[in-house]
């Protein structure tokens, strides 16, 4: 396989794509660099549906990266596409009914590479006449992924992160040539700072929350499961949820596979949050369609500390979509304590898998639920333990 970032590709491949607001139907062309709905301020969806099914029997001879599922992607792959060989991570059994997908073996050591490659490729195709710089905000892993793929695409990049972000993650971002802007406060403060800069001319906001191309990258997680399991899916797909990018990508893939007749039934989506920061789980179990408030004020208390820093999101912008996706799948929300996160990290390490404390949340939830488990499930191990070390006691 040749890994390349060929010379500029015309933006024509994006010309027929438009962003659409799921709340009020507003639209904007992808080339506009508009990062949110101008009416309600919410995140975009993408007007895209696969024109043909992914051919399962033909996949074996294809490029060993995310781009092998080209029929399902809003950007065509090919030799010119940005790539670091992302995807195709191993699927291994943990118990008789639960398997783990090792997404911490991605090029930047987290599942965020799936979406980052799509954003970097989109920014590259829009070209230097439109995109002068790329910015992102992150608790660490998404920023690392955006920085790496921008480096591959020769795009200048700035990443806004909370000041308490793991030094190992900020070091990795800087190593890829990106500028790191440390923001006082929590993950929400970093997002607010990035959004303030996102409207500057020539700025491509590589938001893993607001830009739907990221979701069309993360959906390849489920396409890989479908391929690895010989054209089927497990009874349950278990995912950690902060901003919900992996869950919403999984929901996209499941809907596409079902619509095209490639699977007979849809698996349940089981969403996992840290008990310390679990706004979506609270809303779900209260029967709410959205969070009670998404507007921070000066009196808003800081996000409580949790070992699962990567999913400690108090006001996810896509909350209504996340809650609806879980309900429509017949799934549920589970929460895990700090002690359960510590125990799960040590348990996985004893099995030869060193995963960061956010990335073990799903295994922590399944370990607590195992006596009730009567179906097959897959959990993602999303980030490498080398990024954060063992959880402190």
């Amino acid at each position: 396989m040749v890994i390349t970032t060929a010379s500029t590709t015309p933006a024509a491949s994006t010309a027929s794509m438009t962003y659409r607001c799921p709340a009020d139907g507003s639209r904007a062309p992808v080339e506009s660099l508009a990062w949110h709905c101008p009416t309600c301020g919410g995140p975009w969806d993408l007007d895209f549906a696969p024109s043909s099914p992914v051919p399962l029997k033909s996949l074996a001879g294809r490029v060993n990266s995310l781009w092998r599922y080209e029929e399902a992607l809003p950007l065509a792959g090919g030799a010119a596409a940005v790539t670091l060989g992302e995807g195709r991570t191993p699927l291994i059994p943990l118990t008789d009914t639960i398997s783990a997908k090792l997404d911490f073996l991605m090029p930047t050591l987290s599942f965020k590479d799936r979406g980052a490659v799509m954003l970097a490729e989109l920014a590259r195709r829009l070209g230097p006449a439109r995109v002068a710089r790329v910015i992102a905000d992150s608790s660490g892993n998404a920023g690392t992924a955006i920085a790496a793929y921008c480096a591959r695409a020769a795009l200048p990049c700035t990443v806004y992160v909370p000041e308490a972000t793991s030094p190992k993650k900020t070091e990795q971002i800087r190593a890829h040539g990106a500028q790191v802007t440390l923001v006082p406060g929590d993950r929400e403060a970093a997002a607010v700072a990035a959004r303030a800069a996102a409207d500057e001319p020539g700025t491509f906001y590589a938001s893993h929350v607001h830009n739907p191309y990221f979701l069309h990258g993360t959906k390849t997680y489920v396409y890989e499961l479908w391929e690895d399991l010989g054209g089927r899916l497990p009874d349950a797909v278990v995912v950690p949820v902060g901003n919900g990018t992996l869950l919403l990508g999984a929901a996209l893939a499941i809907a596409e596979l079902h619509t095209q007749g490639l699977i007979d039934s849809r698996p349940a989506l089981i969403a996992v949050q840290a008990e310390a920061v679990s706004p979506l789980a609270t809303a779900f179990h209260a029967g709410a369609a959205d969070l009670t408030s998404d507007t921070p004020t000066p009196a808003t208390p800081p996000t409580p500390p949790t070992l699962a820093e990567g999913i400690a999101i108090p006001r996810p912008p896509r909350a209504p979509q996340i809650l609806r996706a879980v309900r429509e799948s017949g799934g549920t929300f589970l929460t895990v304590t700090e002690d359960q996160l510590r125990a799960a990290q040590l348990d996985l390490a004893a099995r030869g898998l060193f995963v960061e404390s956010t990335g073990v949340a799903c295994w922590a939830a399944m370990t607590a639920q195992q006596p009730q488990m009567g179906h097959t499930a897959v959990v993602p191990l999303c980030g490498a333990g080398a990024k954060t070390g063992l959880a402190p006691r």
Side-chain angles (χ1 to χ4, degrees):
M1 178 183 68
V2 177
I3 297 177
T4 183
T5 55
S7 59
T8 305
T9 300
S13 60
T14 67
S16 61
M17 298 288 178
T18 60
Y19 294 132
R20 177 180 53 81
C21 175
D24 63 30
S26 298
R27 294 177 182 272
V30 169
E31 292 81 4
S32 70
L33 302 186
W35 62 269
H36 64 84
C37 172
T39 305
C40 71
W44 294 117
D45 281 350
L46 186 67
D47 269 344
F48 169 79
S51 58
S52 61
V54 173
L56 180 62
K57 294 182 179 179
S58 301
L59 290 176
R62 290 192 175 185
V63 62
N64 200 33
S65 77
L66 168 151
W67 296 106
R68 71 197 278 111
Y69 308 110
E70 58 184 356
E71 291 87 355
L73 298 175
L75 295 171
V82 173
T83 185
L84 290 168
E86 60 289 326
R88 304 299 298 129
T89 54
L91 182 67
I92 67 166
L94 293 177
T95 72
D96 290 341
T97 58
I98 303 174
S99 296
K101 190 155 176 60
L102 310 189
D103 262 25
F104 69 90
L105 297 180
M106 287 281 194
T108 75
L109 308 182
S110 91
F111 86 93
K112 297 292 177 62
D113 289 6
R114 295 185 184 277
V117 64
M118 296 295 290
L119 295 185
E121 177 65 8
L122 174 60
R124 186 183 73 85
R125 292 190 189 193
L126 292 175
R130 291 190 179 92
V131 177
R133 66 166 184 161
V134 175
I135 67 169
D137 58 273
S138 171
S139 60
N141 284 338
T144 296
I146 296 294
Y149 283 90
C150 280
R152 192 68 183 171
L155 295 166
C157 178
T158 299
V159 181
Y160 293 76
V161 299
E163 59 185 352
T165 298
S166 164
K168 294 180 181 179
K169 292 181 179 179
T170 56
E171 181 181 11
Q172 190 179 4
I173 293 170
R174 290 190 179 99
H176 292 308
Q179 178 180 331
V180 174
T181 299
L182 294 174
V183 180
D186 59 12
R187 175 67 182 84
E188 183 67 20
V192 170
R195 291 167 196 163
D199 291 325
E200 295 178 11
T203 298
F204 180 88
Y205 184 23
S207 171
H208 59 292
V209 181
H210 284 78
N211 194 305
Y213 277 86
F214 196 93
L215 306 182
H216 284 274
T218 60
K219 75 182 182 185
T220 59
Y221 174 85
V222 165
Y223 275 94
E224 287 182 22
L225 290 181
W226 171 74
E227 180 183 357
D228 291 340
L229 296 173
R232 61 182 181 85
L233 290 175
D235 299 321
V237 175
V238 189
V239 287
V241 175
N243 277 309
T245 55
L246 183 55
L247 183 139
L248 291 173
L252 272 173
I254 290 166
E256 290 171 0
L257 289 166
H258 190 260
T259 297
Q260 294 164 350
L262 297 176
I263 55 174
D264 295 329
S265 59
R266 303 188 187 202
L269 291 170
I270 299 178
V272 179
Q273 294 204 288
E275 186 177 274
V277 187
S278 52
L280 290 164
T282 299
F284 180 88
H285 292 298
D290 198 354
L291 304 184
T292 55
S293 173
D294 61 357
T295 304
T297 70
T300 300
T303 305
T306 174
L307 296 171
E309 62 179 6
I311 54 173
I313 310 297
R315 289 170 291 275
R318 293 187 184 269
Q321 292 174 281
I322 297 166
L323 293 166
R324 184 169 59 251
V326 174
R327 287 196 177 100
E328 290 179 351
S329 77
T332 191
F333 270 83
L334 303 174
T335 60
V336 291
T337 67
E338 302 302 292
D339 285 344
Q340 287 172 327
L341 288 167
R342 291 186 187 92
Q345 188 183 39
L346 291 173
D347 179 68
L348 286 170
R351 298 166 184 259
L353 302 166
F354 188 30
V355 183
E356 68 173 322
S357 49
T358 295
V360 306
C362 292
W363 178 237
M366 289 296 95
T367 300
Q369 293 291 316
Q370 275 192 39
Q372 291 82 41
M373 288 290 294
H375 50 252
T376 58
V378 173
V379 300
L381 304 184
C382 298
K387 288 193 169 198
T388 57
L390 281 173
R393 290 195 171 275

